[in-house]
Amino acid sequence: MTDGPADGVMDARLIDAATLPGVPDEFQRLWTPHRMAYIKAGPEPLRKTCPFCAAPDMADEDALIVARGRTSYALLNLFPYNSGHLLICPYRHIATFDQATDEEVAEIGALTQQSMRALRAVSRCDGFNLGMNQGSVAGAGVDEHLHQHVVPRWASDANFFPIIAKTKALPQLLGEVRQAVADAWEA
């Protein structure tokens, strides 16, 4: 709208909305475009192949891999709890930790330690949640391939969104996080 005459009648000319100041409100906008893959897939994504077996054959950027070891690798979780949520996976397709070789166990541990160092350097997180959900009954989303979660946490990251609204605010896109963590990996 434009300023109308004194009698309150509005001018009928169209105005480019981009030039309008907008109406400020108390809402913050959470932009999480990477979540569309999850939303479009529905509650149970159909998989023909194991995503953790397919990832090492892809470019690091496409698979969100931040580091590769000899027996295991680290990649960003496609559906993160927090920005920087990493998964440590053996290359071998095994379901549970007791099936891992001593070499795999050692490298999963070393990659976990290095991921914590890199995440601390990149995001200045205050702590971590580490864990493995083994089997669908234990909450594993991909129960057929062993993976350990490394979730950075901040003293100020607790709010009502995850509990009440089932929403998580993620301030960075996955590609940006992958690059930052990969750059900090050896630092």
Side-chain angles (χ1 to χ4, degrees):
M1 288 193 272
T2 62
D3 292 338
D7 65 2
V9 177
M10 300 309 255
D11 189 352
R13 290 180 290 164
L14 295 177
I15 301 296
D16 179 7
T19 64
L20 297 175
V23 179
D25 58 29
E26 68 278 4
F27 294 103
Q28 293 185 28
R29 276 41 180 199
L30 306 176
W31 301 104
T32 57
H34 64 280
R35 299 282 299 163
M36 284 308 296
Y38 178 73
I39 292 167
K40 287 180 180 178
E44 192 60 37
L46 299 175
R47 288 190 292 264
K48 294 182 181 174
T49 61
C50 171
F52 300 138
C53 288
D57 295 332
M58 301 167 64
D60 288 356
E61 293 79 10
D62 295 334
L64 301 174
I65 293 174
V66 297
R68 294 175 186 258
R70 199 165 102 52
T71 67
S72 305
Y73 65 99
L75 76 162
L76 282 176
N77 189 333
L78 184 58
F79 308 115
Y81 295 120
N82 281 339
S83 290
H85 180 170
L86 292 172
L87 303 172
I88 312 299
C89 305
Y91 292 113
R92 258 184 351 119
H93 188 83
I94 56 174
T96 57
F97 196 58
D98 60 328
Q99 296 172 332
T101 66
D102 291 344
E103 187 179 9
E104 287 168 330
V105 168
E107 189 164 59
I108 288 169
L111 288 171
T112 299
Q113 288 180 322
Q114 186 57 35
S115 68
M116 293 169 68
R117 291 181 194 109
L119 288 168
R120 200 175 289 115
V122 167
S123 68
R124 296 187 172 104
C125 55
D126 300 312
F128 297 92
N129 289 118
L130 303 176
M132 295 182 186
N133 301 328
Q134 297 181 32
S136 60
V137 70
V142 179
D143 63 347
E144 66 273 9
H145 197 127
L146 177 67
H147 57 282
Q148 175 162 272
H149 295 260
V150 180
V151 182
R153 300 296 304 267
W154 296 265
S156 61
D157 74 353
N159 59 51
F160 74 93
F161 278 128
I163 298 165
I164 296 173
K166 301 284 187 205
T167 300
K168 199 66 172 137
L170 301 166
Q172 287 182 292
L173 296 176
L174 289 172
E176 294 170 1
V177 175
R178 191 215 71 81
Q179 189 62 56
V181 174
D183 290 347
W185 194 264
E186 294 300 326

